[in-house]
């Protein structure tokens, strides 16, 4: 708990401030032991303490959300400060003060508060949740047991950085094609819905027989005017339905299994899942976590539940005394190299080092695949955009030519 105090020191000076203690009597006793006279002592609202020194509640700065990079940056700062000899509480306090946005600052202050109240750093990460994953909490627990907190926090930050880079690469690769298709679709819809109907009277005034292509566009314009509003409604309904399905355990597993059967998507997901599984398992093993517990944490890390199910089965097999490589080979949800190199690592006793090599290989392969896919998608997107706009213009000019021939 936090208390606002007013005391008179042994030198006769009045001091005011905020202090943390288990109870008011305990804090008052500590002041008396220091020779101070307690004048006023009142508890503070913990929410007010968390917002102390931050912008007002309705300040625009609060609109900025908390991102994975906030957790990554904070973990790196903590690792650096712990290596410099600072305590965990001091490091958490400084990270909270230097956070990118008020929401991130509040989260780090909540972590500091939980640790100050006697909790562990790993429990605080688990309680708060996003942006701290179970994987980060598991690494923090390992650091608490081994005493190498700075090392494991640096590994956790490196893991988050790897995930962020892969996500940014995918977004950058798909951004331009999607924008090109959206712009072309918007222009085509505007011409069909807003321009062609206004020109319909002009096109039919001369009594000319309009080409079939132009008539098709005019019918499409009429249909969009009548039912066009149902298109976004249907899209939103579809998105909500998919989200509801994926909110259930069976639905999430079914949709993730379906994604692994789509040809192009399957290749990307296999590379991504293999690199994440290999890198994550290597870091957990290097941090001193036993293989069964490392596999438990790894299954929570994987976003594809079909791949996570394979890891859960591998954990049960390891507990029964089987080899990890044998179970992974039966799953068919990761690249074959993962199970083969696991067999090499289990035979040589260097499983963590072998998994690091597997992760590095598949991370490079993933980046190459994404770049290659973006190179193929861009001309397809430009072609779709050209077709949409060109189709409308050709239909329009064919109608003009038919009128000119009639004249």
């Amino acid at each position: 708990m936090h208390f606002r105090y007013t005391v008179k020191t042994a030198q006769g000076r009045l001091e005011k401030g905020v202090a943390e203690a288990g109870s008011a009597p305990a804090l008052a006793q500590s002041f008396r032991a220091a020779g101070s006279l307690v004048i006023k002592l009142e508890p503070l609202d913990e929410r007010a303490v968390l917002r102390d020194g931050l912008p007002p509640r309705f300040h625009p700065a609060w609109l900025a959300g908390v991102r994975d990079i906030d957790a990554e940056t904070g973990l790196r700062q903590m690792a650096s400060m712990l290596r410099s000899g600072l305590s965990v509480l001091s490091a958490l306090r400084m990270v909270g003060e230097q956070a990118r946005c008020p929401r991130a600052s509040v989260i780090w202050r909540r972590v500091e508060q939980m640790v100050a109240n006697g909790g562990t750093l790993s429990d605080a990460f688990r309680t708060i949740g996003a942006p701290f994953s179970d994987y980060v909490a598991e690494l923090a627990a390992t650091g608490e047991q081994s005493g190498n907190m700075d090392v494991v926090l640096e590994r956790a930050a490196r893991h988050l950085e790897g995930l962020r880079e892969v996500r940014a690469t995918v977004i950058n690769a798909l951004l331009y094609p999607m924008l090109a298709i959206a712009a072309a679709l918007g222009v085509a819809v505007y011409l069909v819905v807003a321009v062609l109907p206004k020109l319909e009277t002009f096109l039919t005034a001369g009594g000319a027989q309009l080409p079939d292509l132009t008539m098709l566009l005019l019918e499409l314009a009429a249909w969009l005017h009548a039912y066009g509003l149902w298109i976004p409604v249907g899209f939103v309904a579809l998105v909500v339905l998919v989200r509801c399905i994926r909110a259930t355990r069976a639905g999430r597993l079914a949709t993730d299994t379906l994604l692994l059967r789509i040809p192009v998507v399957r290749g990307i997901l296999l590379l991504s899942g293999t690199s994440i599984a290999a890198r994550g398992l290597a870091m957990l093993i290097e941090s001193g976590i036993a293989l069964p517990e490392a596999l438990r944490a790894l299954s929570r890390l994987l976003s594809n539940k079909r791949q996570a199910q394979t890891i859960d089965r591998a954990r049960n097999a390891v507990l029964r005394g089987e080899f990890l490589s044998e179970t992974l080979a039966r799953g068919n949800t990761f690249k074959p190299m993962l199970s083969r190199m696991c067999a090499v690592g289990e035979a040589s006793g260097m499983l963590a080092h072998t998994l690091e090599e597997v992760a590095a290989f598949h991370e490079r392969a993933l980046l190459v695949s994404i770049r290659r896919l973006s190179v193929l998608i861009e001309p397809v997107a430009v072609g779709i955009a050209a077709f949409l706009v060109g189709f409308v213009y050709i239909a329009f000019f064919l109608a003009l030519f038919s009128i000119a021939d009639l004249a």
Side-chain angles (χ1 to χ4, degrees), residues 46-101:
E46 296 299 329
R47 290 174 294 181
V49 173
L50 289 176
R51 294 197 298 267
D52 184 38
L54 296 177
R57 190 59 182 167
F58 297 102
H59 193 277
W62 288 94
L63 296 176
V66 182
R67 300 181 297 176
D68 290 343
I69 194 172
D70 294 311
E72 175 193 332
T73 304
L75 291 172
R76 288 193 187 280
Q77 291 173 337
M78 277 196 68
S80 177
M81 286 184 277
L82 291 176
R83 281 194 294 268
S84 301
L86 290 179
S87 65
V88 173
L89 277 177
S90 299
L92 287 170
R93 186 173 299 112
M94 293 187 67
V95 170
E97 293 171 355
Q98 299 171 13
R100 177 187 62 90
C101 65

Side-chain angles (χ1 to χ4, degrees), residues 8-189:
K8 187 174 184 179
T9 65
Q11 291 76 25
R13 298 192 309 270
L14 281 177
E15 288 188 355
K16 298 180 180 181
V18 176
E20 184 178 2
S23 62
L27 182 59
Q29 180 61 34
S30 65
F31 281 127
R32 295 191 190 99
S36 299
L37 175 64
V38 179
I39 298 176
K40 188 176 182 180
L41 204 62
E42 58 181 2
L44 289 179
D45 183 2
E46 296 299 329
R47 290 174 294 181
V49 173
L50 289 176
R51 294 197 298 267
D52 184 38
L54 296 177
R57 190 59 182 167
F58 297 102
H59 193 277
W62 288 94
L63 296 176
V66 182
R67 300 181 297 176
D68 290 343
I69 194 172
D70 294 311
E72 175 193 332
T73 304
L75 291 172
R76 288 193 187 280
Q77 291 173 337
M78 277 196 68
S80 177
M81 286 184 277
L82 291 176
R83 281 194 294 268
S84 301
L86 290 179
S87 65
V88 173
L89 277 177
S90 299
L92 287 170
R93 186 173 299 112
M94 293 187 67
V95 170
E97 293 171 355
Q98 299 171 13
R100 177 187 62 90
C101 65
R103 291 180 184 273
S105 179
V106 168
I107 287 178
W108 283 107
R109 293 183 186 198
R110 285 181 61 196
V111 175
E112 177 196 352
Q113 192 178 72
M114 292 178 185
V115 175
N117 290 338
T120 63
L121 185 62
S122 57
D123 288 339
F125 286 161
R126 288 193 187 95
T127 302
I128 291 176
F132 307 110
S133 63
D134 291 335
Y135 181 84
V136 173
E138 200 69 37
L139 283 177
T142 304
E144 291 162 350
Q145 296 172 5
S146 64
N148 297 323
M149 183 63 76
D150 57 332
V151 176
V152 297
L153 291 182
E154 184 67 35
R155 288 174 180 168
R158 202 163 67 239
H159 163 74
L160 294 178
E161 180 185 17
L163 294 180
R164 178 172 54 82
E165 288 179 349
V166 171
R167 190 182 303 114
T169 302
V170 173
I171 293 174
N172 292 335
L174 297 179
L175 185 61
Y176 171 74
M178 294 300 103
L179 287 178
I181 293 176
L185 186 61
V187 171
V189 170

Side-chain angles (χ1 to χ4, degrees), residues 252-264:
R252 181 70 179 271
L253 180 60
T255 53
D256 285 345
T257 303
L258 178 62
L259 288 174
L260 284 172
R261 293 177 180 173
I262 301 175
V264 177

Side-chain angles (χ1 to χ4, degrees), residues 155-406:
R155 288 174 180 168
R158 202 163 67 239
H159 163 74
L160 294 178
E161 180 185 17
L163 294 180
R164 178 172 54 82
E165 288 179 349
V166 171
R167 190 182 303 114
T169 302
V170 173
I171 293 174
N172 292 335
L174 297 179
L175 185 61
Y176 171 74
M178 294 300 103
L179 287 178
I181 293 176
L185 186 61
V187 171
V189 170
Y190 174 76
L191 291 174
V192 171
V193 174
V195 178
L196 274 181
K198 294 179 181 178
L199 296 176
E200 182 178 3
T201 305
F202 167 75
L203 294 174
T204 57
Q209 179 66 33
L210 295 179
D212 293 339
L213 199 60
T214 307
M215 291 301 298
L216 177 63
L217 279 181
L218 291 175
E219 291 173 2
L220 177 61
W223 186 88
L224 288 175
H225 273 289
Y227 305 104
L229 291 178
W230 288 102
I231 295 178
V233 173
F235 178 77
V236 171
L238 179 62
V239 171
V240 172
L241 177 63
V242 171
R243 290 182 67 88
C244 290
I245 291 174
R246 288 182 63 82
T248 63
R249 184 175 181 180
R252 181 70 179 271
L253 180 60
T255 53
D256 285 345
T257 303
L258 178 62
L259 288 174
L260 284 172
R261 293 177 180 173
I262 301 175
V264 177
V265 177
R266 172 180 169 80
I268 298 295
L269 290 179
L270 287 182
L271 285 172
S272 174
T274 302
S275 62
I276 292 174
R279 179 73 66 188
L281 190 57
M283 286 186 179
L284 290 167
I285 294 174
E286 285 178 349
S287 301
I289 299 178
L291 184 57
E293 294 305 315
L295 290 171
R296 183 199 299 273
L298 180 62
S299 68
R300 298 171 184 167
L301 172 64
L302 292 166
S303 58
N304 187 285
K305 296 307 175 185
R306 182 70 180 85
Q307 293 176 329
Q309 187 182 64
T310 300
I311 296 298
D312 287 332
R313 291 173 179 170
R315 177 179 178 273
N316 294 332
V318 168
L319 290 174
R320 292 194 301 267
E322 299 179 22
F323 287 106
L324 174 64
S325 56
E326 296 175 355
T327 310
L328 292 179
R330 292 194 296 267
N332 197 29
T333 53
F334 297 99
K335 285 291 185 179
M337 185 179 180
L338 179 62
S339 59
R340 295 169 187 166
M341 294 301 288
C342 279
V344 173
E346 289 171 329
S348 63
M350 301 177 64
L351 182 58
H353 177 71
T354 305
L355 288 172
E356 287 281 358
E357 295 179 350
V358 173
F361 174 82
H362 285 89
E363 285 166 0
R364 291 192 297 268
L366 177 62
L367 293 177
V368 170
S369 297
I370 292 173
R371 293 193 186 103
R372 187 179 300 162
L373 182 62
S374 67
V375 170
L376 295 175
I377 287 178
E378 286 185 13
V380 173
V382 172
I384 294 174
F387 172 78
L388 290 174
V389 177
F391 184 82
V392 175
Y393 274 99
I394 290 172
F396 176 71
F397 282 111
L398 284 176
L400 292 180
F401 292 153
S402 66
I403 294 175
D405 291 341
L406 184 62

